[in-house]
Amino acid sequence: ARCRCVLPIRALHLLDIRQPGALLLDLGCGTGYSGAPLERAGHAWVGLDLSESMLRAARAPGKRRDVLCADLGAPLWLRRRVFDGAVSISAVQWLCHATANGHDPAKRVRTFFRGLKAVLVPGARAVLQLYPEQPEHMGMLRDAAVAAGFSGTLVVDYPRSERSKKLFLVLTSPNQAAAAAGGSARRSGGC
């Protein structure tokens, strides 16, 4: 349970949103457990997950959240440029696997990052905590993020411990000037 609590807190820290009231996207939100630190920090959030049973557990009256059933590897149908940031705890790496007939992992990863870029406000961060099973999976994720226009870095907590090592892909969506110029730029204080 400690790990489940620490990961979303660390992701929120890496998101680096300094004022409460942001609208955040939780990708692969499951039961909503990772959204609790977002709520405690004063943010509202929308969660996406493929599992309806997990989403039923995530729905709670009086909470500043909404959860929706969605496949992260399919085009996102959310309003463009509305989210101030995004987090994902142990979900995005599953896009690197063909979990159903007809799934092309590389295509699903590219679709995910194009959709993520579309729903984030320019200059917003996304923090994706993941456990890639193969080195090629990390390459696939990195290449698709860069192709979508993101800049960023890989943050590794506890790099010398195979058991405790945590990987966070910290991305910044292109700002409007960079997007218009066809490149990518970092907002001040970015990664």
Side-chain angles (χ1 to χ4, degrees):
R2 175 173 154 40
C3 186
R4 281 188 6 194
C5 184
V6 170
L7 293 175
I9 291 169
R10 179 66 169 136
L12 181 60
H13 174 257
L14 292 169
L15 207 53
D16 195 32
I17 294 179
R18 298 170 192 264
Q19 308 231 349
L23 178 60
L24 303 177
L25 183 60
D26 186 348
L27 301 152
C29 68
T31 61
Y33 192 83
S34 60
L38 308 179
E39 292 170 3
R40 283 193 301 274
H43 305 301
W45 61 277
V46 173
L48 302 179
D49 202 280
L50 191 56
S51 170
E52 269 297 341
S53 63
M54 293 184 94
L55 292 172
R56 276 193 294 281
R59 292 184 177 102
K63 297 290 185 179
R64 298 178 58 184
R65 68 173 85 158
D66 197 1
V67 293
L68 308 164
C69 190
D71 179 353
L72 298 180
L76 290 178
W77 34 261
L78 300 168
R79 178 182 259 171
R80 294 175 54 88
R81 296 184 174 167
V82 71
F83 292 97
D84 300 307
V87 297
S88 179
I89 306 300
S90 305
V92 172
Q93 73 264 7
W94 296 110
L95 294 174
C96 296
H97 301 275
T99 56
N101 286 339
H103 279 183
D104 175 351
K107 181 178 178 184
R108 290 172 53 76
V109 168
R110 287 191 305 270
T111 299
F112 167 75
F113 281 110
R114 282 194 305 266
L116 181 58
K117 177 185 149 193
V119 301
L120 291 175
V121 298
R125 280 192 181 177
V127 177
L128 313 175
Q129 186 278 323
L130 37 86
Y131 298 104
E133 290 184 14
Q134 306 292 329
E136 335 40 274
H137 293 170
M138 195 66 231
M140 183 188 314
L141 294 165
R142 179 201 58 231
D143 292 348
V146 169
F150 285 97
S151 61
T153 191
L154 180 66
V155 174
V156 182
D157 288 352
Y158 310 107
R160 291 188 174 100
S161 170
E162 284 305 312
R163 184 169 184 222
S164 299
K165 184 186 301 185
K166 305 293 181 255
L167 303 178
F168 296 87
L169 189 56
V170 181
L171 303 171
T172 303
S173 65
N175 68 26
Q176 289 177 329
S184 63
R186 300 173 196 197
R187 82 179 170 188
S188 63
C191 54

